[in-house]
Amino acid sequence: MGRHLPRQRIGILLVVSSLSMAGCGSYFSEAELASRQAVAAPAQPGAAAIDTSGVPSFTRAAAPAAAVAAPAAAPVAVGQKAVAAKKSGTATAAAAPAAAAVAAPVAPAAAAVPAAVHSGPRSPIVLCSFGNSSGVLGAVSGPAPIGNAAWASWVNAHGGLAGHPVKMINADDGGAAANAQAIAQRCVEQEHAVAIFNEYTFGELDGALPYLKSKGVPVIGSIGAAISSDHSSMVFNPLNGADVGQAWGFVDTIRAQTDKKNLGVLYCQEAATCAQQIDSFSKLLPYQGMHIVYKAQVSLVQPDYTAQLIQAKNAGADVVVLLLDSASVGRVARNAAQQDYHPVLSGTYNLGIQATLDQGPILDGLILASRTPAYSTSPLMADYRDAMARFQPGKAMGDVGAGAFVFGALLAKYADKYLNADNVTSADMLTLLHSVHDEKLGGLLPGVTFPTGDDRTQTNRCIEPVVLSGGRFLQRGGAFVCAPDWKPGA
């Protein structure tokens, strides 16, 4: 593949489990791998200095050769916070350590566990994911690759997909569309991935979509930060859409949780998607008396937002809508309190993350849109919480990680019918996805059907309203709130 791509030397960090194990998905730095083995991490022959166009390090979770009902051993993560794969000039391989067997968590009825464990080995289903794991945006997307790895471990511990073990590959594209395209090409041509799973880009997906469409490789699920994910026949995202759906999400979050109407808006300058989303949201107003009285573009690394908040207060904003990261929202809340300004703070699902809870009581009362039932408290998301505790203990959780378990549940429900071949192809995946109609997954979805064309804006225009209270995200009302023009199965 290297001859097609600009030259840049990178390392590939492989985190593998023995093919006899059912677990996968741990993340270790080279230093951690070396310390766990009490030796310096050796470079592997033939793996160093690969020409891959500047594609940052891959973190691979290797699947078992045969799916089993419960793992004989599972990888255990170090007792630290989430560790992103570091760029390196040296490739390193290490076997994932074995841990004592743990009883598999009981799945709620909505989670659609594979119906049967097939006898004999079947070929792995390789899924690839990529996105921006760097800088402040990497903190926003952080739970996504970790959630992907946790789901792969969880589904393998439950027999895989129609008896196929799942191999998950996560890659950091550094926020560059060219890297996203190169990663997609590598995943398909070298790793033989049959789908992209829960992509976590902030617009750089655009660089990969033409290639994926030419190869007939679907994108299954998204964190919803790339507007293009709502405008491509190759993207099958069953959660609230990145364009019109998310625009209505801002409106529905406010109208479902407060009667206030005067909106101030602070949105980030670091990602084009922030301006795009505010533009889509603004086009829906005025709605039920809601209108924007103040708007400002700010930086995620801005140390203080007092000036903008004083202007919002003087304009009469009693709700401040935030397209920012968790740390910035914490600063906004503290700056507002210093000015004796107490508006309702409102945001979207990117703030449904542990980093927001870590800001402390200052954010109590923050209202959010969630794409799934509340990941930290809903019984429907118990599999996500259990799998994270078992396979990725101590690592960052959030809405964008919980989404992996909704996408996984969708595949699992239809796997025995559509993924029953000895070797699953991208065409099999497409057939499965096109068969989905008015799907609710026992409450995980509001009734989703994937259209055949490029317009995905009607797929899902629904959110779950949640509020941050007492250090947890709590669901408001227990049901999806949907755009007034949306109907299930549309």
Side-chain angles (χ1 to χ4, degrees):
M1 185 177 93
R3 70 177 187 276
H4 300 296
L5 305 168
R7 291 183 174 273
Q8 183 174 348
R9 295 161 67 89
I10 65 159
I12 299 177
L13 176 62
L14 300 180
V15 181
V16 301
S17 61
S18 163
L19 290 183
S20 65
M21 295 182 183
C24 63
S26 293
Y27 287 68
F28 302 97
S29 68
E30 293 182 58
E32 289 170 324
L33 286 167
S35 66
R36 292 177 72 82
Q37 300 173 79
V39 294
Q44 298 302 302
I50 296 180
D51 228 345
T52 55
S53 86
V55 179
S57 301
F58 271 66
T59 300
R60 175 181 302 170
V68 292
V76 65
V78 291
Q80 300 178 2
K81 291 190 176 181
V83 181
K86 304 291 183 183
K87 295 181 182 180
S88 169
T90 305
T92 305
V102 184
V106 177
V113 178
V117 176
H118 297 258
S119 60
R122 280 188 159 184
S123 61
I125 292 176
V126 182
L127 302 174
C128 184
S129 188
F130 55 84
N132 191 346
S133 299
S134 309
V136 290
L137 293 179
V140 174
S141 65
I146 296 168
N148 293 347
W151 173 76
S153 296
W154 183 88
V155 77
N156 286 335
H158 287 79
L161 293 174
H164 294 274
V166 171
K167 182 165 69 173
M168 183 70 67
I169 300 171
N170 290 306
D172 180 3
D173 64 24
N179 284 348
Q181 190 278 335
I183 290 169
Q185 185 172 347
R186 176 173 181 165
C187 284
V188 173
E189 297 179 12
Q190 294 189 20
E191 304 294 342
H192 308 295
V194 296
I196 306 300
F197 183 90
N198 192 26
E199 63 87 15
Y200 47 104
T201 71
F202 291 87
E204 60 271 25
L205 177 66
D206 294 14
L209 281 176
Y211 172 79
L212 293 170
K213 188 170 186 177
S214 73
K215 296 295 183 180
V217 176
V219 178
I220 304 171
S222 167
I223 68 167
I227 296 293
S228 57
S229 66
D230 248 11
H231 298 278
S232 173
S233 60
M234 295 312 295
V235 180
F236 297 81
N237 178 27
L239 299 181
N240 185 43
D243 191 353
V244 182
Q246 192 163 161
W248 275 110
F250 287 109
V251 172
D252 291 338
T253 298
I254 297 166
R255 72 183 178 97
Q257 301 191 68
T258 179
D259 58 0
K260 299 183 183 301
K261 307 293 185 181
N262 298 328
L263 313 182
V265 179
L266 300 180
Y267 64 102
C268 80
Q269 66 186 30
E270 281 78 3
T273 186
C274 289
Q276 291 168 344
Q277 289 171 8
I278 287 301
D279 183 59
S280 295
F281 164 48
S282 300
K283 290 175 181 176
L284 301 178
L285 302 178
Y287 180 76
Q288 293 186 355
M290 284 185 274
H291 62 286
I292 294 174
V293 298
Y294 175 77
K295 181 167 62 174
Q297 188 175 37
V298 297
S299 172
L300 298 179
V301 296
Q302 194 169 314
D304 187 277
Y305 300 96
T306 300
Q308 289 82 12
L309 289 165
I310 289 174
Q311 293 180 67
K313 181 180 181 180
N314 291 340
D318 46 22
V319 177
V320 175
V321 179
L322 303 164
L323 271 81
L324 304 172
D325 69 334
S326 301
S328 302
V329 170
R331 293 195 296 276
V332 166
R334 288 185 284 274
N335 294 160
Q338 290 162 1
Q339 301 301 315
D340 195 27
Y341 178 35
H342 303 286
V344 173
L345 298 182
S346 177
T348 190
Y349 60 88
N350 74 288
L351 295 175
I353 187 176
Q354 181 60 45
T356 300
L357 301 178
D358 291 343
Q359 299 300 311
I362 191 70
L363 287 183
D364 262 26
L366 172 69
I367 60 174
L368 299 176
S370 178
R371 301 180 305 161
T372 72
Y375 82 86
S376 62
T377 53
S378 171
L380 293 176
M381 299 310 300
D383 288 337
Y384 173 54
R385 296 191 296 272
D386 292 345
M388 287 294 294
R390 180 180 178 187
F391 298 112
Q392 299 288 330
K395 302 229 178 141
M397 297 178 66
D399 176 291
V400 297
F405 279 70
V406 178
F407 313 143
L410 190 68
L411 293 180
K413 177 172 181 177
Y414 293 88
D416 279 342
K417 182 174 182 180
Y418 295 104
L419 306 182
N420 206 32
D422 288 339
N423 293 289
V424 171
T425 67
S426 294
D428 295 326
M429 284 289 183
L430 286 169
T431 300
L432 182 157
L433 294 163
H434 284 301
S435 74
V436 173
H437 181 74
D438 197 15
E439 183 57 64
K440 297 182 175 64
L441 287 178
L444 292 176
L445 296 173
V448 165
T449 300
F450 294 118
T452 56
D454 285 330
D455 185 356
R456 302 308 220 216
T457 59
Q458 278 284 0
T459 303
N460 186 341
R461 296 186 179 184
C462 305
I463 56 104
E464 292 271 13
V466 300
V467 61
L468 195 165
S469 178
R472 300 191 302 164
F473 296 110
L474 303 178
Q475 210 158 311
R476 287 278 182 90
F480 285 100
V481 175
C482 302
D485 62 345
W486 185 87
K487 293 185 292 186

